[in-house]
Amino acid sequence: LNEAMFHSLFDNMTNGCVIYNVTGSGERGCDYVMKNINSAGLVMERISFNEISGKTLADIWPKVDESGVIPVLKNAWETGQPGFVPLKIYRNNHETSYYENHIFRIASGEVVVISRDVTEQKSFEEALRSSEGRLRSVVQTIPDLIWLKDKDGIYLACNTMFERFFGANEKDIVGKTDYDFVSRELADFFRENDLKAVFTGGPSINEEWITFADGGRRAMLETIKTPMYDDLGNLIGVLGIGRDITDRKAA
């Protein structure tokens, strides 16, 4: 009954599972001979059981030494401590696959590798990073002052034009508040308008005079402050956009 349950679980796992026998021969001090692989593993490897049954890991995967898997397999087998190896695999059709591999030794002395295909997740993360990179490039080149504070008024991000206002780099602004850069009176004014946007739940528009720290130029800004929320509706903070309307005011 236990063996039947094992085979049922083994074959129906959604993650790939490979069992290796460990032998004491081979150039690496020991070889890992494929004993069994479940259906999900065959799908991941895109190969049949007959093609790999009884073969060593090096036979199945010639570049295994470059992957970092062997040291983790060896450690799991010798010490009984489980290990983890992320893998990025390039296939012949130029397709890239990503796997998270958990490796451990079972009571019989064999080594088991459980692989989870995270290709879709990785593709999403890479697309998100690319999208964020493009968005950041656009934000950095906009001539308006742009910044984001958390709900307590602590800066989370800002663009290049805003750096000129404080006369500091973004890395030196993030984590601080207005009170670290401007007079208390002006910082109180900024905070008042931040809270107005939060309490109204929508954009708050005001005009304000500022002095750019990088050159001492005075400018009139039309500032729009908008509360920002996450997907669950929790308040992240306040997004601010300040447009220089000095020339318009003069006209």
Side-chain angles (χ1 to χ4, degrees):
L1 177 60
N2 288 337
E3 185 174 349
M5 289 177 62
F6 166 77
H7 284 294
S8 178
L9 289 170
F10 182 75
D11 290 332
N12 289 286
M13 288 177 63
T14 55
N15 293 331
C17 185
V18 185
I19 301 175
Y20 292 100
N21 279 324
V22 183
T23 65
S25 61
E27 295 179 0
R28 301 173 188 81
C30 58
D31 276 332
Y32 303 90
V33 181
M34 213 279 287
K35 178 182 178 181
N36 206 348
I37 182 170
N38 68 349
S39 300
L42 291 173
V43 171
M44 287 182 179
E45 294 296 333
R46 301 176 187 181
I47 202 167
S48 70
F49 179 77
N50 291 333
E51 290 178 272
I52 57 177
S53 177
K55 293 186 178 180
T56 67
L57 186 56
D59 293 331
I60 301 168
W61 192 7
K63 294 186 177 181
V64 66
D65 285 334
E66 302 172 17
S67 69
V69 169
I70 291 295
V72 182
L73 276 168
K74 187 173 186 294
N75 185 68
W77 180 60
E78 291 179 346
T79 69
Q81 295 296 316
F84 173 79
V85 182
L87 289 178
K88 183 178 183 179
I89 298 175
Y90 300 97
R91 302 190 183 279
N92 292 333
N93 60 356
H94 305 294
E95 179 185 346
T96 303
S97 297
Y98 298 87
Y99 298 107
E100 291 181 346
N101 300 277
H102 294 270
I103 300 171
F104 56 93
R105 188 184 70 193
I106 56 178
S108 60
E110 296 155 330
V111 177
V112 177
V113 179
I114 295 180
S115 300
R116 185 166 74 96
D117 189 337
V118 293
T119 304
E120 186 175 340
Q121 175 186 328
K122 287 291 184 179
S123 297
F124 173 77
E125 290 173 356
E126 289 185 354
L128 181 61
R129 279 194 295 269
S130 177
S131 175
E132 289 175 342
R134 288 195 297 270
L135 177 60
R136 185 167 183 82
S137 295
V138 171
V139 169
Q140 291 299 335
T141 57
I142 289 176
D144 296 336
L145 286 75
I146 301 176
W147 65 94
L148 177 64
K149 303 176 190 174
D150 72 7
K151 58 186 177 181
D152 297 316
I154 298 173
Y155 281 95
L156 301 175
C158 68
N159 71 344
T160 303
M161 186 59 72
F162 189 87
E163 290 178 332
R164 292 182 54 195
F165 171 36
F166 278 174
N169 294 324
E170 183 184 24
K171 64 181 179 62
D172 298 317
I173 296 173
V174 170
K176 296 179 181 178
T177 71
D178 292 313
Y179 294 94
D180 295 303
F181 298 97
V182 299
S183 68
R184 173 168 290 277
E185 180 183 4
L186 186 56
D188 285 342
F189 176 74
F190 290 161
R191 184 60 178 158
E192 178 184 343
N193 284 287
D194 290 346
L195 294 175
K196 185 184 297 183
V198 171
F199 292 143
T200 59
S204 172
I205 304 175
N206 65 276
E207 295 179 354
E208 55 200 33
W209 281 100
I210 66 166
T211 301
F212 284 89
D214 71 342
R217 185 175 73 87
R218 289 273 291 170
M220 167 68 78
L221 295 186
E222 180 183 69
T223 301
I224 303 174
K225 295 184 175 180
T226 307
M228 299 288 290
Y229 301 92
D230 62 20
D231 293 339
L232 299 177
N234 300 311
L235 179 67
I236 297 173
V238 175
L239 174 68
I241 302 175
R243 174 158 295 177
D244 188 339
I245 59 170
T246 309
D247 293 340
R248 192 175 79 190
K249 279 291 183 181

